């Protein structure tokens, strides 16, 4: 049974009203929590304590380190070298430049862990190249935007860390990182298959072969950047360091590559990197803190328990319940950004998923792809807007370019939902 109905109405109503008024989400969460606490006569220091407690967790240290590592690698010339490496692998095929875009995003996703960073870094190079080579502008943007979603699955994904925190710290970050590897690669293969088919059907050009004498240089420079996810995954699987410690090590390696080996990041450029990282972190940490109080009040009002009972009451069939969860997440993803949705929906929907037999790690991967799809779907779709800006096309045209790619992404989502081994095999292999 849900708690005080009026308190629930205040909590949800104030938050929705704040969104409608375009108040920043973190402020909306804080305002809703404050109004509800005043109505319930909960002492305000208790609410403040929940805000502080949300930030007093050791795994949270991984987020600033991973964000900084991604910024360093992005500013250090890694995107161009990853594109060169991907071009060496598949650039000579029909539609090679479009497929190169997908593979480069796979590589970059393993470094930045961010779909927005992927779209802006890879897209700013690839979309103009594709357009000059005769590719349709809508298709170029569609490939770029769709393939960037790999960044929310392939480690290191800071959204996985946010999910672990939203789940109360009960889900291993290392297990989540490993769980995202196979689904991320499956998504890459699915996007490559569709990209090749569309390129063959539309007779897009083949790419140029990379001269044999260039192979050693391209491979060497590309692999240096790709060592970042190898260090992270290898260290976690071997038990040499934790996922949180791996974030700090990734930062050190990123600095060595960008400053010493590539020599494209200058001390002045490093100041800009730190500035952008702090801007990103300030918004993320404020959001996590605000969600701490909001989640506390949801628990006090028994909202998660009531929703679990309502969803399982609709059907006892786990397949139906999981499909309903997917539909709910897909709908919510179109109207709200990813991080706040992770913080809001995890305490509500994770108990439902567990009640029908889904592992919390598998649910985390399913949640990532669901909300990742929201990043490329109007009206909010932050990655879609970045892609449209990079490709110099209207958002409507960018949306049309993305439409064919929903098919493979939804098929991969269903595979993640109903094939547990896809997410759980690697963590179980590592004993996490």
């Amino acid at each position: 049974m849900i708690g005080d109905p009026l308190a629930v109405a205040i909590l949800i109503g104030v938050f929705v009203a704040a969104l409608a008024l375009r108040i920043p989400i973190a402020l909306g969460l804080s305002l809703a929590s404050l109004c509800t606490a005043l109505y319930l006569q909960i002492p305000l220091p208790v609410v403040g304590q929940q805000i502080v407690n949300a930030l007093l967790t050791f795994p949270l240290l991984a987020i600033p380190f991973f964000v900084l590592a991604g910024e360093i690698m992005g500013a250090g010339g890694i995107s161009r070298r990853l594109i060169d490496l991907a071009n060496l692998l598949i650039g000579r095929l029909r539609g090679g430049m479009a497929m190169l875009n997908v593979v480069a995003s796979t590589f970059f996703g393993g470094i930045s862990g961010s779909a927005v960073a992927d779209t802006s870094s890879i897209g700013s190079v690839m979309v103009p190249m594709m357009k000059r080579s005769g590719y349709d502008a809508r298709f170029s943007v569609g490939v770029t935007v769709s393939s960037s979603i790999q960044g929310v699955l392939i480690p290191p994904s800071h959204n996985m860390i946010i999910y672990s925190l939203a789940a109360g710290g009960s889900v291993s970050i290392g297990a989540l990182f490993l769980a995202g590897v196979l689904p991320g690669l499956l998504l890459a293969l699915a996007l490559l298959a569709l990209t090749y088919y569309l390129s063959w059907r539309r007779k897009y050009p083949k790419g140029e072969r990379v001269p044999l004498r260039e192979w050693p240089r391209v491979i060497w420079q590309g692999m240096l950047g790709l060592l970042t996810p190898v260090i992270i995954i290898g260290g976690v699987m071997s038990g040499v360091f934790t996922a949180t410690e791996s974030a700090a090590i990734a930062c050190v390696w990123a600095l060595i590559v960008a400053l010493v080996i590539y020599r494209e990041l200058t001390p002045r450029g490093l100041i800009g990197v730190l500035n952008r990282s702090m801007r990103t972190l300030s918004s993320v940490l404020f959001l996590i803190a605000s969600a701490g109080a909001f989640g506390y009040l949801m628990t006090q009002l028994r909202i998660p328990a009531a929703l679990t009972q309502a969803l399982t009451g609709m059907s006892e069939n786990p397949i139906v319940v999981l499909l309903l969860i997917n539909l709910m997440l897909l709908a919510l993803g179109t109207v709200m950004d990813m991080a706040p949705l992770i913080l809001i929906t995890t305490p509500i929907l994770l108990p439902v998923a567990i009640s029908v037999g889904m592992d919390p790690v598998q649910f985390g991967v399913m949640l990532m792809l669901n909300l990742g799809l929201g990043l490329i779907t109007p009206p909010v779709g932050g990655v879609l807007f970045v892609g449209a800006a990079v490709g110099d096309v209207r958002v409507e045209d960018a949306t049309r370019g993305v439409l064919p790619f929903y098919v493979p992404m939804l098929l991969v989502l269903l595979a993640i939902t109903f094939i547990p081994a896809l997410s759980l095999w690697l963590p179980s292999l590592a004993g996490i």
Side-chain angles (χ1 to χ4, degrees), residues 22 35 56 123 162 167 221 299 359 363 374:
R22 298 193 176 184
C35 292
L56 294 179
I162 295 175
Q221 293 190 348
T299 303
D359 189 276
F363 176 77

Side-chain angles (χ1 to χ4, degrees), residues 98 101-102 105 118-120 122-124 126-131 135-149 202 204 376 382-405 409:
N101 198 332
V102 177
S105 291
D118 189 328
T119 301
S120 58
I122 300 296
S124 61
M126 287 304 308
V127 173
M129 286 175 59
M130 290 177 68
K131 289 163 70 174
Y135 288 83
D136 177 73
R138 289 190 303 190
F139 176 74
S140 303
V141 172
V143 172
T144 304
V145 168
S146 303
S147 60
S148 69
I149 301 306
R202 299 175 184 178
Y204 287 136
I376 62 172
V383 174
L384 184 68
F385 284 95
V386 173
V390 168
D392 194 24
V393 299
R394 297 184 306 163
V395 175
E396 293 84 353
D397 291 330
T399 304
R400 293 190 188 98
V402 171
L403 284 177
F405 295 95
M409 288 190 285

Side-chain angles (χ1 to χ4, degrees), residues 151-418:
V152 304
L153 292 176
I154 298 175
S157 169
H158 63 265
N159 288 302
M160 293 282 198
I161 303 170
I162 295 175
Y163 166 71
S164 175
L165 296 172
S170 59
V171 185
S172 165
I173 296 174
L176 288 168
F177 279 180
L178 295 178
V181 174
L182 291 182
L185 294 178
L186 178 62
L187 179 60
L189 290 174
L191 293 172
L192 280 171
L194 180 62
T195 301
Y196 179 76
Y197 170 74
L198 293 175
S199 299
W200 170 78
R201 185 175 178 181
R202 299 175 184 178
K203 294 181 169 44
Y204 287 136
K206 293 183 179 181
E208 297 181 0
R209 290 179 178 271
V210 178
L212 189 61
R213 65 180 181 276
E214 294 290 326
W215 284 26
R217 178 188 62 81
V218 171
I219 293 172
W220 167 250
Q221 293 190 348
M223 292 306 295
L224 284 173
L226 287 179
L227 276 177
T228 304
V230 173
I231 291 170
I232 293 167
I233 297 171
V236 171
M237 287 190 70
S238 64
V240 174
F241 42 74
T242 66
T244 305
E245 292 164 346
S246 73
I249 293 170
C251 265
V252 174
W253 175 247
L255 278 172
I256 292 172
V257 171
L259 284 172
V260 180
I261 301 176
Y262 290 166
R263 297 183 180 180
E264 290 203 14
L265 182 63
T266 63
R268 178 171 297 194
L270 185 58
I271 294 173
V273 164
L274 292 171
N275 183 39
R276 290 193 297 272
S277 299
M278 289 300 295
R279 288 176 179 272
T280 301
L281 286 171
S282 60
S283 61
V284 171
L285 295 179
F286 184 23
L287 188 59
I288 291 173
S290 302
F294 192 83
Y296 166 76
L297 289 167
M298 283 200 302
T299 303
Q300 294 298 309
L301 295 170
R302 298 191 293 279
I303 294 175
L307 189 58
T308 299
Q309 186 177 4
L311 284 175
T312 53
M314 291 181 184
S315 174
E316 295 182 357
N317 188 332
I319 295 176
V320 174
V321 174
L322 291 175
L323 287 175
L324 286 172
I325 292 175
N326 276 314
L327 289 173
M328 185 183 301
L329 289 171
L330 287 170
L332 289 171
T334 64
V335 295
M336 197 182 299
D337 205 5
M338 188 168 186
L341 272 177
I342 294 172
L343 293 165
I344 293 169
T345 59
T346 297
I348 297 174
L349 296 178
L350 180 57
V352 182
I354 292 174
S355 71
V356 295
M358 176 174 271
D359 189 276
V361 172
Q362 181 188 2
F363 176 77
V365 179
M366 184 185 82
L367 178 70
M368 292 303 113
L369 185 52
N370 265 300
L371 302 186
L373 284 166
L375 293 175
I376 62 172
T377 306
V380 173
V383 174
L384 184 68
F385 284 95
V386 173
V390 168
D392 194 24
V393 299
R394 297 184 306 163
V395 175
E396 293 84 353
D397 291 330
T399 304
R400 293 190 188 98
V402 171
L403 284 177
F405 295 95
Y406 281 114
V407 175
M409 288 190 285
L410 289 173
L411 290 175
V412 172
L413 176 60
L414 290 175
I416 292 171
T417 303
F418 297 113

Side-chain angles (χ1 to χ4, degrees), residues 8 10-16 25-26 28-34 36 47 50-51 54 287-301 303-304 340 343-345 347-348:
V8 173
I10 293 172
L11 185 68
I12 305 300
V14 172
F15 178 60
V16 171
I25 292 175
L29 290 170
S30 300
L31 185 61
S33 302
L34 179 63
T36 307
V47 178
Q50 298 304 316
I51 291 174
L287 188 59
I288 291 173
S290 302
F294 192 83
Y296 166 76
L297 289 167
M298 283 200 302
T299 303
Q300 294 298 309
L301 295 170
I303 294 175
L343 293 165
I344 293 169
T345 59
I348 297 174

Side-chain angles (χ1 to χ4, degrees), residues 28-104:
L29 290 170
S30 300
L31 185 61
S33 302
L34 179 63
C35 292
T36 307
L38 289 173
Y39 169 76
L40 293 173
Q41 297 183 344
I42 296 175
L44 293 185
V46 174
V47 178
Q49 186 178 27
Q50 298 304 316
I51 291 174
V52 173
N53 286 344
L55 298 176
L56 294 179
T57 171
F58 179 73
L60 190 61
L61 285 173
I63 294 180
F65 283 125
F66 278 133
V67 169
L68 179 58
E71 287 285 353
I72 291 170
M73 297 300 279
I78 183 62
S79 56
R80 175 168 53 81
R81 290 169 172 84
L82 291 179
I83 289 171
D84 289 343
L85 179 61
N87 186 43
L88 173 66
L89 297 175
I90 58 169
R92 63 187 179 277
L93 302 176
R94 170 73 65 184
M97 195 166 289
M99 296 169 69
L100 156 64
N101 198 332
V102 177
V103 175

